[in-house]
Amino acid sequence: MSTNSRKPAKPEDTLLSLPEEVAGSGNLDRLVDSARNYARAAASDNTLKAYARDWAHFTRWCRVKGTEPLPPSPEMIGLYLADMAAPVGKAPALRVSTIERRLSGLAWNYTQRGLTLDRQDRHIASVLAGIKRRHARPPEQKAAIMTEDIRAMVACLPFDLRGLRDRAILLVGYAGGLRRSEIVGLDHGKDDTPDSGGWVEILEGGALLTLNAKTGWREVEIGRGSSDQTCPVHALEQWLHFARIDFGPIFVGTSRDGKRALETRLNDKHIARLIKRCVLEVGVRAELPEKDRLALFSGHSLRAGLASSAEVDERYVQKQLGHASAEMTRRYQRRRDRFRVNLTKAAGL
């Protein structure tokens, strides 16, 4: 078989292996499998899926151009970046953020194959710098769901089992400033499931969430609300009670008749669909066409809503959202006094 006809090895096949000079054994092979599982856990499932799509896109591009993806060629990757920014034909140009993400995906895939992609090579770095200079735009921000919006959204939900679940999802996600993956990753208790993203403790004063987040383990405190209708802790307690959940994933699917909770963890896409459905039903931003309204709101609208609505010191919002810097928190604040601190007057002008 010729070199050109060989298929490149998959990352999972080359992730970790024994040195060639070491003879395999049952114990060593089991350790290799265990090490591979730990290595895969270094990134989230969503990130791994995105990196797999990035690699598939690049290898397909290489086939069309008559070249090979292995070993890494900075010259070809520079051409690949340019083609994504200014494609020939009907293909749409990709956003700078997408191009950067695909480059990160390529670097990760090469690393898993024991190869190194030098992103500072002039063929890559100069092309990417030019793309940023010519095509970069301010990031598109999803609209925030404000307090009056979330109140209307939870009020429109029924009080059957699905309604109880979705009400708890919206209120816990909003009050906790949680990402979609953090909401659906919650378990009832610690170490309930291998794919757990964290667990919940319900205390007298509220709910304490321990999350395995992007930046490591962190705790999120969700206090009790001023009324049962909008209290996230009460909504969570109601769902857990009537769904009879005392172990495993908290937010799960329901049977077709809506009378029984299943064991399967919800996909995080359910959060985005739920938000969009409620936004349409209660008429949030009703002055816009439906298509535009659907595009405005997503799972991040809950985090942006908390950051924009909570009238507290910015430090507490930053901690709740798990941001490393105040600047990142400010990006989520859609409604704030930008000129509260006036350095012009402070300088005597």
Side-chain angles (χ1 to χ4, degrees), residues 26-58:
N27 287 334
L28 285 176
D29 290 341
R30 282 192 292 273
L31 285 175
V32 169
D33 290 339
S34 179
R36 284 176 177 169
N37 289 333
Y38 282 125
R40 292 189 188 99
S44 69
D45 288 342
N46 287 341
T47 299
L48 294 177
K49 289 176 182 177
Y51 286 168
R53 290 193 297 268
D54 294 337
W55 184 252
H57 185 272
F58 177 62

Side-chain angles (χ1 to χ4, degrees), residues 30-324:
R30 282 192 292 273
L31 285 175
V32 169
D33 290 339
S34 179
R36 284 176 177 169
N37 289 333
Y38 282 125
R40 292 189 188 99
S44 69
D45 288 342
N46 287 341
T47 299
L48 294 177
K49 289 176 182 177
Y51 286 168
R53 290 193 297 268
D54 294 337
W55 184 252
H57 185 272
F58 177 62
T59 55
R60 189 163 55 247
W61 182 88
C62 286
R63 286 198 301 271
V64 172
K65 303 302 179 185
T67 186
E68 290 290 322
L70 297 172
S73 165
E75 295 86 350
M76 291 308 299
I77 291 174
L79 296 179
Y80 174 63
L81 300 180
D83 197 20
M84 288 189 289
V88 177
K90 297 181 179 179
L94 299 184
R95 291 182 299 180
V96 174
S97 59
T98 303
I99 295 173
E100 289 184 302
R101 208 285 316 286
R102 286 197 170 163
L103 181 58
S104 297
L106 295 188
W108 183 90
N109 275 280
Y110 280 123
T111 299
Q112 306 315 306
R113 292 167 170 81
L115 302 169
T116 300
L117 174 61
D118 182 8
R119 297 178 58 167
Q120 301 307 313
D121 184 282
R122 62 188 179 89
H123 295 93
I124 296 175
S126 59
V127 171
L128 185 59
I131 291 172
K132 288 181 178 180
R133 184 175 179 83
R134 181 171 296 183
H135 300 293
R137 301 172 185 170
E140 295 181 7
Q141 294 183 322
K142 294 297 181 180
I145 293 174
M146 307 306 289
T147 304
E148 59 271 19
D149 300 328
I150 197 71
R151 285 177 174 273
M153 290 166 66
V154 298
C156 82
L157 294 171
F159 284 89
D160 58 7
L161 203 56
R162 287 196 191 103
L164 292 177
R165 179 198 64 193
D166 290 344
R167 186 173 287 102
I169 285 175
L170 290 177
L171 289 172
V172 169
Y174 189 84
L178 305 180
R179 300 176 178 88
R180 296 185 311 180
S181 58
E182 292 173 340
I183 297 172
V184 299
L186 286 171
D187 277 2
H188 189 277
K190 182 180 179 182
D191 300 326
D192 278 1
T193 63
D195 62 339
S196 171
W199 66 93
V200 178
E201 297 175 76
I202 296 181
L203 309 172
E204 183 177 350
L208 178 64
L209 279 54
T210 304
L211 302 176
N212 188 4
K214 289 183 176 181
T215 55
W217 288 99
R218 68 186 181 98
E219 290 184 343
V220 172
E221 299 174 2
I222 299 179
R224 295 187 181 272
S226 55
S227 70
D228 285 348
Q229 286 71 30
T230 58
C231 174
V233 183
H234 178 76
L236 181 59
E237 289 174 324
Q238 290 287 292
W239 160 245
L240 294 176
H241 173 74
F242 287 103
R244 299 180 180 179
I245 294 175
D246 57 9
F247 183 86
I250 283 182
F251 295 118
V252 296
T254 59
S255 58
R256 287 191 175 183
D257 60 9
K259 296 181 179 180
R260 180 170 52 88
L262 306 178
E263 296 181 358
T264 307
R265 189 188 303 276
L266 282 179
N267 187 290
D268 66 347
K269 292 180 180 178
H270 174 82
I271 312 297
R273 290 194 295 265
L274 170 62
I275 290 170
K276 292 177 185 293
R277 187 179 78 239
C278 290
V279 160
L280 290 181
E281 187 165 341
V282 303
V284 179
R285 299 296 301 273
E287 75 279 5
L288 298 176
E290 181 176 310
K291 181 180 178 182
D292 294 342
R293 293 164 67 197
L294 289 174
L296 265 181
F297 296 93
S298 73
H300 257 57
S301 296
L302 296 179
R303 284 167 65 78
L306 177 73
S308 303
S309 300
E311 300 292 340
V312 295
D313 190 295
E314 194 175 73
R315 293 173 299 168
Y316 298 111
V317 179
Q318 179 183 340
K319 180 178 182 296
Q320 191 81 340
L321 298 185
H323 288 155

Side-chain angles (χ1 to χ4, degrees), residues 141-144 300 304 308 330-336:
Q141 294 183 322
K142 294 297 181 180
H300 257 57
S308 303
R330 293 188 189 107
R331 295 182 190 178
Y332 281 75
Q333 294 173 327
R334 308 293 189 260
R335 185 178 67 186
R336 63 185 177 92

